[in-house]
Amino acid sequence: IVSIDMGGPTVSLEAMIRDVASAQKLEMVARKKVSHAQLREYFRVDTETKVVTKPFTGSFTEGGRTSWAYEGTTVDISGSGVRAVFSESPPAEQPVCLEISLPSAKKAVVEALAHQVRSRQLENGKYEVAYHYDEIRTEDRDTIIGCCLDIQRQMLRLKVHVKDDE
């Protein structure tokens, strides 16, 4: 799988290496285009909840406070990542610590070490950022998946109620 990012939308292709021309150059043949949805390990659900992104390592100012933190709202969430909207663009070069407040009955907050997969500026000046979890406790991933299943059940109930009302 090869991801191509030339400033616009990221394109992913399944390719076969035909020749290694040098240490910096590969000759490849594209087999097929791959969508981001096909690369996901877990199903995703649309939900809005609070997410905070902070530096993971060594980005501290005097007094022991982090040098930055961005609070945003999720667009969707899964067991492998989250997509969120922020008023400013969070740094993309380094791993971050995500704190996600899940919209479940328990009101759990889970944490994960993550990296930014892609970011784009929206028309309203905000930034939509996708993160993939690099390290997450098994219990936190299970909590996220349980929350996703709860949201799916709620959506199915809502759909049934709307259909019955017609």
Side-chain angles (χ1 to χ4, degrees):
I1 303 292
V2 178
S3 292
I4 302 168
D5 183 3
M6 296 188 301
T10 301
V11 177
S12 296
L13 303 170
E14 184 178 303
M16 182 181 79
I17 298 174
R18 182 183 289 169
D19 187 30
V20 179
S22 70
Q24 296 290 316
K25 185 176 175 183
L26 296 174
E27 185 179 321
M28 295 186 279
V29 177
R31 295 283 187 193
K32 65 180 177 178
K33 185 176 177 182
V34 179
S35 72
H36 291 286
Q38 290 173 310
L39 297 174
R40 290 191 189 120
E41 299 170 45
Y42 299 92
F43 67 95
R44 233 172 233 275
V45 295
D46 296 341
T47 189
E48 284 188 26
T49 189
K50 179 180 149 186
V51 63
V52 177
T53 181
K54 298 185 218 179
F56 173 65
T57 57
S59 300
F60 290 94
T61 60
E62 288 184 30
R65 301 186 69 131
T66 58
S67 59
W68 55 266
Y70 295 94
E71 185 174 318
T73 305
T74 62
V75 175
D76 57 38
I77 190 168
S78 79
S80 61
V82 65
R83 188 166 46 122
V85 175
F86 297 91
S87 57
E88 298 177 60
S89 179
E93 305 79 38
Q94 58 191 0
V96 296
C97 178
L98 295 178
E99 291 178 0
I100 306 165
S101 303
L102 296 175
S104 60
K106 299 176 186 174
K107 299 292 183 195
V109 176
V110 296
E111 291 186 351
L113 172 65
H115 71 274
Q116 195 177 111
V117 177
R118 63 186 169 280
S119 176
R120 70 181 178 109
Q121 188 170 9
L122 303 174
E123 291 178 9
N124 62 5
K126 295 187 177 191
Y127 293 84
E128 183 181 81
V129 183
Y131 288 102
H132 178 79
Y133 311 138
D134 294 320
E135 290 184 30
I136 184 169
R137 291 184 1 207
T138 303
E139 299 83 18
D140 285 347
R141 189 183 311 268
D142 290 347
T143 303
I144 290 171
I145 293 169
C147 179
C148 290
L149 290 169
D150 288 344
I151 292 167
Q152 265 193 335
R153 274 193 293 275
Q154 291 169 5
M155 288 179 182
L156 287 171
R157 282 188 200 118
L158 182 62
K159 185 176 178 180
V160 168
H161 288 303
V162 171
K163 247 186 171 173
D164 289 346
D165 292 342
E166 291 177 356

